[in-house]
Amino acid sequence: MKNTIYLCVLAFLMTGCSYTVYDMNKGLLSISKKDSYTVKYSADIPAGTTAEIGYTDKGNTVQTVKDATGKWEKVVELPSGQEVMLRIDVKLPQTNPASQLTTVQTVDGVVVDEKVQTGKKVMYRFGYKLP
């Protein structure tokens, strides 16, 4: 009986939260194989908030940017066969209309992923492997 009450309370509390979780791994990209690729990460972070961003850099290392604001972009040259990951965590301000996080990733100028998220707390994860 206690467990049922706890579960009901937990469900009630979670309905008041607005989390947006986008977590996808696209696997191996179906693009032509070459020695290296130009990967561009970009995010449009709403005014009045900051984001923590993690992205794959050369040598398969993950770089972290804390307190990113506004229009954020990073272009890196990555070798063939490398795993690529972009991670963004942000608490969006509650505005009307709803504020949103816009993310775009391109490989050699071709869009691999483009998403718009809304909610109170956005957790965006997107990964893939270069051929």
Side-chain angles (χ1 to χ4, degrees), residues 47-122:
T49 190
T50 60
E52 182 174 311
I53 301 173
Y55 64 93
T56 305
D57 202 357
K58 293 179 183 175
N60 210 17
T61 61
V62 176
Q63 301 296 322
T64 302
V65 177
K66 295 183 186 260
D67 300 327
T69 59
K71 183 104 173 120
W72 177 86
E73 289 184 350
K74 184 67 178 179
V75 178
V76 293
E77 192 77 21
L78 298 176
S80 178
Q82 182 161 329
E83 300 271 342
V84 180
M85 173 63 83
L86 176 63
R87 173 189 55 80
I88 302 175
D89 294 326
V90 62
K91 263 185 144 172
L92 296 176
Q94 298 305 297
T95 59
N96 192 7
S99 58
Q100 57 190 23
L101 170 70
T102 305
T103 57
V104 179
Q105 290 186 67
T106 63
V107 175
D108 289 341
V110 177
V111 175
V112 175
D113 183 60
E114 183 172 9
K115 293 288 181 262
V116 175
Q117 294 92 15
T118 60
K120 288 181 184 176
K121 183 165 175 69
V122 174

